[in-house]
Amino acid sequence: IFDELHTQPNRKLFDVMLQGSGDARMQPLYFLITTAGNDINSICYEVHQKAIDIAEGRKVDPTFYSVIYGAAEDEDWTDPESIDIHYPTFEEQNPQLYADYIRDLKNYKAGEHKLVFVSFDNPVGNPSNQVERLIAIPDSVDFVCLNNSENLSNETQVEMVKIREKSIRTLSIINYESLEQEWNKKAKENSELTEEDAQKYLNERTDAMLALCDSYGYDGILIDYTGLSMVGMQEAVLQQYKTRQQNFFSRVLDWRNKHANKTLVLYSYVQYLTPENMDMLDEYNHLILKTASSKNIDDLTLNVLMAIQAGIDAAGMDANPVPKDRFVACAQLPQQEDKDMIIGYWNTQDANGNKTLAAQGTAQWIVQSSSTYTRAGIFITNIQKDYYNNTYAAVRETIHIMNPNK
């Protein structure tokens, strides 16, 4: 490898390296790399001109492969727009192979497999680098949930269409707690606002968020509802909690009745729902349990059993309203700033004595069989944190554990 060829004052070192290695090997291979130089009498300029002649067909040398990125001589090199670099995609290089790949990918996702949900911290404006692009996420992902669901940029909307070709569906997120926080801020600023005002505001904001699905062409909605334990609540607080919860979910169900072809997902603690609202759980395609803080397999199992028991307690002698065929577990990825390795890790160790990654531990739990409920898949939050880890290495390994060779 001969790097920064333009710095060579003459061709002496160049000739020694090429001729020396050429004499010592049957099939020598050289990589000549350089940024721009300004000496037209140099060895670099000589090689550069040869590369241009070969690229433009004036010379033929099957042993010399040239790639040049740069502005033309008549263009302003200080203007970024003068460098129109295009990297050929897999699709452009081999259209038939790409079409076969897409066909196989769609067949895989249409078949039985463990589902992969991810949340993605999309930028408010247009993406400025690969980590912000939907098209960079692994193709084996089934659903990507956008944290910033409002005011989508044009490029993000275009990429939503592009990834749909790979059967990756995009969901908007409605975080009920965020709506409550918006209202609490308003109420703090104006003490004359009433509970009636609160209901009106929350209803309007809920309707506006639901409408985004049609406005931006989302494939569905993820409802993020944490809720609170109702044990020990004062009566007035309990009644307000129940009323607000009922109003919120009734609007969600009204949307569901008008959008039967869309995906509806609940991300919640089932035990914090009122008995009246448990009856609507069958309307959701998937139930994601809030297990991000789990530290081992037993924690995950306990979360499922608590959700099932909550349905039993609410139903009494009636059928359990909690469907057991669609549970999805949630996991976080490690965070670079977490030097103590708490977030995104379990309190167990792998075969090498390292702390178990939460996503991969959760994936191993998901593939285990259960006779009383279905472990349908995983929800990995904020996957953009994994982009710089060898381009989503942790996410890809998690998928591989659940769906080997996919």
Side-chain angles (χ1 to χ4, degrees), residues 190-244:
N190 185 353
S191 60
E192 296 183 359
L193 294 174
T194 65
E195 178 58 22
E196 183 178 348
D197 295 321
Q199 292 289 353
K200 180 180 179 182
Y201 178 83
L202 292 171
N203 290 344
E204 289 176 350
R205 285 290 288 129
T206 300
D207 291 342
M209 294 297 294
L210 290 168
L212 294 176
C213 188
D214 291 332
S215 300
Y216 289 124
Y218 283 106
D219 298 292
I221 299 175
L222 181 144
I223 302 298
D224 184 350
Y225 186 91
T226 300
L228 298 169
S229 172
M230 290 171 278
V231 177
M233 272 191 183
Q234 294 182 354
E235 184 61 27
V237 176
L238 179 62
Q239 289 305 313
Q240 176 181 289
Y241 177 78
K242 288 183 175 181
T243 301
R244 289 189 180 184

Side-chain angles (χ1 to χ4, degrees), residues 91 102 129 153 174 196 223 250 253 272 279 282 305 315 317 320 374 405:
E91 180 180 3
I102 293 297
N129 49 55
S153 69
I174 301 180
E196 183 178 348
I223 302 298
S250 66
L253 287 185
Y272 294 161
D279 290 335
D282 201 45
L305 297 179
M317 298 299 293
N320 190 336
T374 301
N405 301 321

Side-chain angles (χ1 to χ4, degrees), residues 9 28 49 70 84 89 105 138 148 150 152-153 164 173 197 210 219 225 246 294 310 312 334 369 372 375 386 404:
Q49 286 303 115
D84 184 16
T89 63
L105 182 63
N148 301 315
E150 298 182 89
L152 293 185
S153 69
R164 192 175 291 121
I173 297 178
D197 295 321
L210 290 168
D219 298 292
Y225 186 91
Q246 183 64 37
S294 295
I312 295 174
S369 61
T372 56
R375 308 176 189 196
D386 193 43

Side-chain angles (χ1 to χ4, degrees), residues 175-182 224-228 290:
N175 186 315
Y176 179 76
E177 276 62 44
S178 293
L179 303 184
E180 286 263 12
Q181 289 170 10
E182 291 176 13
D224 184 350
Y225 186 91
T226 300
L228 298 169
K290 286 185 174 279

Side-chain angles (χ1 to χ4, degrees), residues 82-229:
S82 68
I83 305 178
D84 184 16
I85 298 176
H86 175 68
Y87 297 95
T89 63
F90 174 26
E91 180 180 3
E92 293 169 330
Q93 291 175 336
N94 196 325
Q96 184 56 54
L97 187 60
Y98 181 78
D100 293 343
Y101 168 74
I102 293 297
R103 180 201 62 214
D104 292 343
L105 182 63
K106 288 183 176 180
N107 288 339
Y108 153 66
K109 291 190 177 181
E112 184 177 349
H113 67 288
K114 298 299 184 181
L115 296 173
V116 180
F117 294 78
V118 301
S119 70
F120 187 82
D121 199 16
N122 56 298
V124 176
N126 284 326
S128 59
N129 49 55
Q130 283 296 96
V131 71
E132 297 180 343
R133 293 193 176 278
L134 295 176
I135 57 174
I137 68 175
D139 292 345
S140 296
V141 167
D142 294 282
F143 296 93
V144 55
C145 310
L146 300 189
N147 291 335
N148 301 315
S149 298
E150 298 182 89
N151 302 316
L152 293 185
S153 69
N154 291 333
E155 284 193 35
T156 297
Q157 294 178 63
V158 170
E159 292 190 357
M160 287 168 58
V161 175
K162 186 66 176 176
I163 64 175
R164 192 175 291 121
E165 297 174 3
K166 301 177 181 180
S167 294
I168 301 177
R169 286 158 285 181
T170 310
L171 306 181
S172 66
I173 297 178
I174 301 180
N175 186 315
Y176 179 76
E177 276 62 44
S178 293
L179 303 184
E180 286 263 12
Q181 289 170 10
E182 291 176 13
W183 168 252
N184 291 338
K185 183 178 179 180
K186 285 182 173 292
K188 187 176 181 180
E189 295 171 349
N190 185 353
S191 60
E192 296 183 359
L193 294 174
T194 65
E195 178 58 22
E196 183 178 348
D197 295 321
Q199 292 289 353
K200 180 180 179 182
Y201 178 83
L202 292 171
N203 290 344
E204 289 176 350
R205 285 290 288 129
T206 300
D207 291 342
M209 294 297 294
L210 290 168
L212 294 176
C213 188
D214 291 332
S215 300
Y216 289 124
Y218 283 106
D219 298 292
I221 299 175
L222 181 144
I223 302 298
D224 184 350
Y225 186 91
T226 300
L228 298 169
S229 172

